[in-house]
Amino acid sequence: MSTEFALECDRSGLVVWADDRANSLVADIAGRRLDDAVVMEDRPKVGSFLEAAWAADEGQGSASWEIGIVRPSGPATVRLRGAPRLGHVLIVGSVLPGDYGLLAADAGQLMQELLLLQRESERQRRELAEASEALRQAQAELVQGEQLRSLGLLVASVAHEVNNPLAFAVAGVEEADRLANFALSLLTAYRSNGSTPGALDLIAEMEADPEAAYVDDLLGTLADARDGLERVRTLVLDLRTFVRVDEAEGKPIDLAATLRATLRIGRTAVMEGVRVQVELADMPPLECAPARVNQAVLNLFTNAARAAAPKGTVRVRLYERENGAVVEVDDSGPGVPEEMRERIFEPFYTTKGATGGLGLGLHLAREAARAQHGDLTVGQSELGGALFTLTLPRSTRVPAL
C-alpha cells in the first residue's frame, strides 16, 4: 500500500475530507478531529502545524512537520505539509520508514525472537549439562576400564608366575606324603620288633626297598615345598601392596619397599631377554597415595619393558631430593621423538594400534603425579631410549582416590 495520503481540515482541526489512503491509514479519519489521530505527546504540535499551514503560501505550502499518529497496526511517524485551500487546510503527508509502528513491530518481533532464543538457550544448556555428565561418567568408565585392563594383564602374568612354584609345592607335598607313609610303615615295623613273629624279616625287606633310600630326603622335600609356597605367599602380598585397597588415601609409606613389591609384580610381564636394573635408595617415609603411585610406576615399567624387548635394558631408580622423591624409569628402546613428548600424555593417544589399549596409561600416570602436586615428564635416556621422571614432593596432603 502507498504511504502517501491527503486530507482537508477546517480551522478548528476537524477533518472534512480524507482520501482512501488516509482513511485506511487512520481508520475513518474523516469527520474526526485531527488531534484525535495523533499520539498523546505530539498533540500540542497539531495547533502549531495548522497555524503554520494557514499562514503558508498556497502554492508553496508550509514546512514539513513530523508527527506521530495512531493507526490500527500501531503508532507511526508521518511527515505533513499544509496550505490554505478554499477556506480549509489541505494536508498531504507520507509515512516515514522506521516509524513508531515499524519500531513497535520490530520491538515485538525482537522480543519474540529473544524469548525463542532464551528457550533454545535453556534447552541447549540442559542438553550440554546432560552431555557433560554423560561424558564425565563415560570418562570415569574408560579410566576404570583401562585400570581393569592393566590389572587383567597383570593378573594373567601373575597367575602364570604363581603356577610354577605352586605346582612345585604341590608335587613336593605329594612326594613328602608318600615318603612319610613309607617312613611310618618302617617305624611301625621297628616298634613291633621282638613282639611280632617275622618282624626282622619285614624290616629287612622294607629297608631293601629302593624307596627307603629316599626317606632321608623327606626334610629336603618338605623344605622345597615350603619354599614354593613362600614364593606364592610373597606374590600374593605383593599384589595386596600394589592394589592397596585399604590405603586409598594419602599416608606416609616406605616408597622403596612399595616400589620393590610393584616391580616384583611387574616383572612377571617382562620378556626373558630383557635385563632389569633396580636402584632404590632407602629414604624416610613419604606421604602419598600408594595405589596411584603403584599404578603409575607399573605403567611406566611395563611400557619400558615392551620398548626394550626383546633383548634390551630397563632401569628403575629411586632417589631423594631436598623437597621430595624422584622415580626414574628409562630403557634402551627407540625413545620418544621430541615432537611427541607432550602428545603421549593426552588421553586416548596411542601408537600401539587398536589392540594396544585405550591410550590412557601415561595420561593416568601423569594425573596421579599431579594429583599429589608432583609431575611426570619424558626425555632422552642415556641408555638410548625414553627417560620418564616422576617427582613426588614432601608434606603434601593427597586427595583420596
Side-chain angles (χ1 to χ4, degrees), residues 369-388:
R370 290 182 173 177
Q372 296 165 98
H373 306 284
D375 202 1
L376 176 63
T377 58
V378 62
Q380 185 70 29
S381 167
E382 61 184 23
L383 297 177
L387 167 64
F388 287 88

Side-chain angles (χ1 to χ4, degrees), residues 9 25 30 51 65 96 110:
C9 293
L25 181 66
E51 290 179 6
W65 287 66
L96 297 180
L110 285 173

Side-chain angles (χ1 to χ4, degrees), residues 3 25 69 71-78 94-111:
T3 62
L25 181 66
I69 64 172
R71 58 180 183 172
S73 60
T77 300
V78 295
S94 61
V95 180
L96 297 180
D99 57 32
Y100 289 121
L102 294 176
L103 289 174
D106 289 347
Q109 182 66 24
L110 285 173
M111 184 62 69

